[in-house]
Amino acid sequence: MTTADKIETWLVDNAKLVVALFIGVLVIGGVLAGYQAYSSARENKAQETLFEIEADLEKKQQALFEVENKQKQEASKNKAAKKTETAAPVRNPETLQKDLGEPLTRLVSFIDQNKGSKASYMAAMTASDLYLEYKDPSQAAQLLEKVAPHVNKKDLFYGLLNSQLALAYSNANECPKAVDVYDDIIDSEAQKHIHAQMILRKGVCLMSMKEYDKAKAAFRQAKTDFPDSVSGKSAESFERLINVKKGVVK
């Protein structure tokens, strides 16, 4: 009996098994295709909802800008009152709730309800930007801690969210935590497009911690690895500043 005959005989004898396997492959493929379709539909729906929230947020921000601009114009007409009335608008956690509390609450709820979606990552960036703008970095960090560490390291959002998390930590005077996050980003080859900036920020954090030798090493790495980047060129100025602090300027 030839090999072909043996194969044919086996197929005949095991017809039910072959059919079962074939159906199994079809079922698995169908489930996968169905999941992908569901996932895509879910993502699209989430992004539509996010668009509505951000449109409302933008509308409220525009209204605030117009009010503030009007106040500045009125104050400029009164030279005696100019110094006080033209001051920058107050930005703090209390005014955040007053100015944009409603859309911010919707953003935070949206993030909890759409975990793992791209839309939730975008919402986290928007919400954390608001917290940082209104001088509440601790709240920004708490929000990002629930999202940033769980994003795939190869995903663009991994770098965006974690760099934002590190910035929130540094603004909240938690530079040791910020340095750890910067190191995680720098260790990811997929995030190389932001390594120069992350190394520079890491150096600034280390400098604020008075870890001058480590800070200088970071600045030198930025200069060496990314000499033509803005961060690489800025690193030289920061290194010079360390020398001033240490009293070793030549």
Side-chain angles (χ1 to χ4, degrees), residues 11-176:
L11 288 174
V12 170
D13 293 341
N14 297 276
K16 289 185 179 180
L17 175 61
V18 172
V19 170
L21 289 173
F22 179 69
I23 292 174
V25 170
L26 288 178
V27 169
I28 292 170
V31 170
L32 181 59
Y35 174 77
Q36 289 173 338
Y38 166 77
S39 181
S40 178
R42 178 174 175 268
E43 185 66 53
N44 289 339
K45 185 176 180 180
Q47 292 195 20
E48 287 175 6
T49 302
L50 177 60
F51 177 80
E52 293 173 3
I53 298 172
E54 292 195 328
D56 181 45
L57 172 63
E58 187 176 345
K59 184 178 178 180
K60 286 181 167 58
Q61 287 176 313
Q62 181 62 29
L64 281 173
F65 172 78
E66 290 174 0
V67 170
E68 292 167 355
N69 194 45
K70 185 177 180 180
Q71 290 174 342
K72 288 178 182 178
Q73 290 176 349
E74 290 175 353
S76 66
K77 296 175 183 178
N78 186 346
K79 293 183 179 180
K82 188 175 181 181
K83 288 186 179 179
T84 55
E85 293 186 33
T86 58
V90 177
R91 295 281 191 264
N92 58 43
E94 290 72 30
T95 57
L96 172 58
Q97 288 305 313
K98 177 185 174 184
D99 293 345
L100 303 167
E102 191 270 336
L104 177 59
T105 299
R106 289 174 66 194
L107 278 172
V108 174
S109 296
F110 176 87
I111 294 166
D112 290 335
Q113 293 166 8
N114 295 274
K115 292 177 181 177
S117 68
K118 302 291 184 185
S120 73
Y121 302 159
M122 291 186 280
M125 289 295 296
T126 300
S128 59
D129 274 337
L130 290 176
Y131 283 127
L132 291 173
E133 180 185 354
Y134 279 80
K135 311 296 187 294
D136 197 353
S138 295
Q139 195 64 45
Q142 287 179 32
L143 174 72
L144 290 164
E145 283 171 346
K146 296 189 294 184
V147 181
H150 307 295
V151 183
N152 190 303
K153 285 195 172 186
K154 294 182 179 180
D155 196 309
L156 174 66
F157 280 106
Y158 178 85
L160 292 174
L161 288 165
N162 279 281
S163 64
Q164 187 89 327
L165 174 59
L167 179 62
Y169 281 145
S170 61
N171 285 1
N173 297 317
E174 294 188 272
C175 262

